[in-house]
């Protein structure tokens, strides 16, 4: 992990060290994904089976997880794991129920406007596999979808080499209210959810994290379906003052780095003493991690310790970073929170580790990455809602604004728009007042 001093190298160098690059897709990845999507559209289930055998399970025989297999998987989950997943689901549900919003209308003097809020009918949940198991991702997406009122949640996840779906993932799917589970991974899963096949139903929106191939597929199918976000590699930024515990800061910086070699970790602090202690702590802790090789590559390529001149400067650089996860290990974290403009999730104080946000606290851990927290939000209830506006005017209310409407339409050169107003306000042929 390199160290940057604002005092000696300047603010611009520090900002460059923590600024995440945009989500750009490799043209070769896009080419491969376009071929996969086209194959799934043309051949449906047959293509999914062929691709699944090529990439995931050589002996893949069935796409959908049967009711018996689902039941057996849930039964195989240890009791303490079930308890953890149940507790997490309850916290996620309670947090997201605070975000629910009703339809509304505003009526005054013959005019009514409003908004109808409805849940999407069917959502496709993508759960990654590969080097780790992600029951937490099932809950962090599936539970908010159910809270929003989505009636049908279809889940896809890669099969293991022997064709199974991990039992804890199946149990999380049951807790989250998933309707059906399919052994499909990668870009082919996104294509199946977007277009539908003989077995997989088409959905209205594809949600959930994935690798570069999943992201490329999401970009390609957007417009056929909606997508939640294009999620890049995970990242964590720790802002710490001279009173922070260096062991806690070191531990948090390692949490996201163990996901992938492209993940990033940043420490921003005005204390050179703390910066040195955290660097030592990272080396000591990393030696004992099971994924230490991967962590080392991530920190070497995408890690930085920045020594700032002031705490305010550290917070300014955190806003430049716009991280997925931001930890505020400072004396007054709530005062610091008021200065945060760009972050996916903010963890306050010494006893709110990254792990808490990833699993149990309640907010979804599906967060904007790669600096997109400048304009994007975490997955939330509104992710699964659509809104329709409505308008009702009676004749008197229309007459009150008729002249303005006609003038507006004529200014833009749209005569038919103007006539649509004049036709309603002209005296009826029979001399009556017509309908209100």
């Amino acid at each position: 992990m390199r160290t940057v001093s604002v005092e000696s190298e300047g603010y611009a160098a520090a900002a460059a060290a923590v600024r995440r690059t945009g989500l750009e897709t490799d043209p070769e990845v896009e080419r491969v994904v376009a071929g996969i999507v086209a194959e799934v559209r043309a051949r449906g289930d047959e293509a999914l089976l062929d691709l699944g055998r090529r990439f995931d399970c050589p002996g893949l025989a069935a796409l959908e997880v049967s009711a018996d297999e689902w039941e057996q998987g849930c039964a195989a989950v240890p009791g303490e794991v079930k308890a953890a997943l149940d507790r997490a689901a309850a916290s996620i549900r309670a947090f997201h129920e605070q975000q629910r919003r009703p339809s509304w209308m505003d009526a005054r003097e013959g005019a009514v406007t409003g908004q109808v809020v409805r849940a999407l009918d069917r959502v496709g949940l993508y759960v990654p596999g590969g080097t780790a198991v992600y029951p937490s991702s099932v809950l962090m997406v599936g539970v908010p979808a159910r809270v929003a009122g989505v009636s049908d949640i279809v889940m896809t996840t890669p099969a293991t080499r022997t064709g199974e779906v991990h039992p804890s993932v199946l149990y999380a799917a049951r807790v989250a209210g998933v309707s059906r589970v399919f052994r499909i991974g990668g870009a082919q899963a996104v294509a199946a959810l977007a277009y539908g096949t003989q077995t997989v139903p088409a959905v209205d929106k594809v949600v959930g994290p994935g690798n570069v191939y999943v992201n490329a597929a999401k970009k390609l199918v957007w417009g056929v379906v909606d997508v939640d976000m294009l999620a890049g590699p995970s990242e964590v930024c720790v802002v710490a003052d001279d009173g922070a515990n260096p062991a806690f800061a070191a531990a948090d910086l390692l949490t996201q780095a163990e996901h992938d070699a492209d993940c990033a970790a940043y420490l921003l602090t005005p204390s050179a003493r703390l910066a040195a202690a955290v660097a030592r702590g990272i080396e000591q802790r990393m030696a004992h991690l099971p994924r230490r090789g991967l962590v080392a590559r991530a920190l070497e390529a995408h890690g930085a310790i920045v020594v700032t001149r002031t705490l305010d400067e550290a917070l300014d650089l955190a806003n430049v970073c716009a991280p997925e996860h931001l930890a505020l290990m400072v004396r007054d974290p709530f005062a610091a929170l008021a200065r945060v403009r760009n972050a996916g999730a903010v963890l306050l104080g010494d006893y709110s580790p990254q792990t808490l946000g990833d699993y149990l606290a309640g907010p979804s851990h599906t967060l904007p990455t790669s600096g997109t927290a400048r304009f994007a939000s975490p997955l939330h209830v509104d992710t699964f809602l659509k809104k329709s506006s409505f308008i009702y005017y009676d004749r008197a209310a229309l007459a009150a604004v008729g002249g303005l409407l006609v003038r507006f339409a004529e200014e833009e050169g749209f005569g038919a728009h103007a006539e649509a107003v004049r036709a309603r306000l002209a005296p009826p042929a029979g001399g009556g007042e017509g309908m209100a």
Side-chain angles (χ1 to χ4, degrees):
M1 246 178 131
R2 62 179 172 142
T3 299
V4 178
S5 167
V6 176
E7 186 69 45
S8 60
E9 299 179 56
Y11 185 89
V18 301
R19 186 179 287 115
R20 291 292 271 162
T21 57
L23 286 163
E24 296 181 4
T25 308
D26 186 317
E28 177 59 19
V29 170
E30 292 183 335
R31 184 192 68 78
V32 170
V33 167
I36 290 172
V37 172
E39 193 173 347
V40 172
R41 290 189 70 183
R43 298 198 298 127
D45 286 356
E46 183 182 4
L48 293 175
L49 287 166
D50 286 348
L51 291 163
R53 290 166 187 150
R54 188 192 315 172
F55 296 121
D56 299 319
C57 169
L60 185 65
L63 296 174
E64 186 165 5
V65 174
S66 69
D68 286 345
E69 183 182 356
W70 199 343
E71 189 64 38
Q72 291 165 10
C74 290
V77 179
E80 62 271 22
V81 176
K82 288 182 177 178
L85 292 170
D86 289 343
R87 172 64 184 273
S91 297
I92 297 164
R93 187 174 298 110
F95 178 85
H96 288 86
E97 282 176 347
Q98 298 295 322
Q99 300 173 7
R100 298 178 69 171
R101 63 176 68 190
S103 300
W104 59 269
M105 68 177 182
D106 179 39
R108 61 186 72 185
E109 297 179 351
V112 181
T113 56
Q115 189 176 69
V116 177
V117 180
R118 293 189 176 94
L120 302 178
D121 293 328
R122 181 183 291 133
V123 166
L125 165 55
Y126 183 83
V127 178
T131 60
V133 179
Y134 295 101
S136 60
S137 290
V138 181
L139 299 180
M140 292 290 184
V141 178
V143 173
R146 279 295 185 190
V147 171
V150 176
S151 57
D152 191 9
I153 304 172
V154 176
M155 189 178 99
T156 64
T157 191
T160 65
R161 296 297 291 174
T162 54
E164 291 94 14
V165 173
H166 196 278
S168 63
V169 171
L170 290 175
Y171 183 77
R174 173 157 294 174
V175 172
V178 170
S179 309
R180 301 171 70 184
V181 178
F182 295 92
R183 282 177 276 250
I184 313 171
Q188 58 269 30
V190 177
L193 293 169
Y195 295 103
T197 70
Q198 297 90 333
T199 300
V200 182
V203 303
D204 301 312
K205 187 165 190 170
V206 178
V207 295
N211 61 18
V212 292
Y213 293 92
V214 171
N215 268 346
K218 280 182 165 183
K219 286 175 67 174
L220 188 59
V221 303
W222 184 85
V224 177
V225 292
D226 193 14
V227 300
D228 55 345
M229 64 181 75
L230 302 180
S234 192
E235 60 212 18
V236 57
C237 178
V238 175
V239 173
D241 60 19
D242 58 1
N245 186 318
F248 295 171
D252 266 21
L253 287 165
L254 292 170
T255 56
Q256 305 306 323
E258 71 176 346
H259 280 291
D260 187 274
D262 288 325
C263 292
Y266 307 108
L267 171 67
L268 308 176
T269 178
S271 170
R273 178 198 61 79
L274 180 80
V278 172
R280 291 192 299 270
I282 287 173
E283 291 298 322
Q284 293 165 0
R285 288 176 176 275
M286 194 165 60
H288 305 289
L289 293 176
R291 299 163 72 90
R292 57 186 172 273
L294 184 152
V295 172
R297 294 196 301 275
L299 296 182
E300 178 67 24
H302 308 289
I305 295 174
V306 178
V307 180
T308 62
R309 291 167 292 201
T310 65
L311 180 59
D312 283 347
E313 188 171 64
L315 290 166
D316 287 342
L317 284 168
N319 285 318
V320 171
C321 180
E324 179 188 20
H325 305 87
L326 174 62
L328 298 179
M329 297 186 183
V330 296
R331 289 182 177 85
D332 190 347
F334 285 95
L337 177 62
R339 293 183 55 87
V340 174
R341 300 189 308 278
N342 306 324
V346 185
L347 293 112
L348 308 178
D350 285 346
Y351 296 96
S352 304
Q354 299 293 307
T355 315
L356 184 64
D358 277 347
Y359 296 131
L360 208 65
S364 177
H365 73 199
T366 302
L367 304 166
T369 64
S370 304
T372 60
R374 292 179 296 108
F375 55 80
S377 303
L379 182 142
H380 53 301
V381 165
D382 275 15
T383 302
F384 304 99
L385 300 177
K386 56 185 178 179
K387 295 99 175 177
S388 301
S389 58
F390 62 87
I391 304 165
Y392 166 83
Y393 272 46
D394 64 18
R395 192 177 191 283
L398 180 62
V401 297
L404 296 174
L405 288 170
V406 169
R407 185 67 186 87
F408 218 137
E410 291 175 340
E411 177 67 18
E412 294 194 344
F414 291 117
H417 281 65
E419 285 303 312
V421 177
R422 291 193 184 102
R424 285 167 169 80
L425 298 180
E433 288 299 315
M435 293 180 64

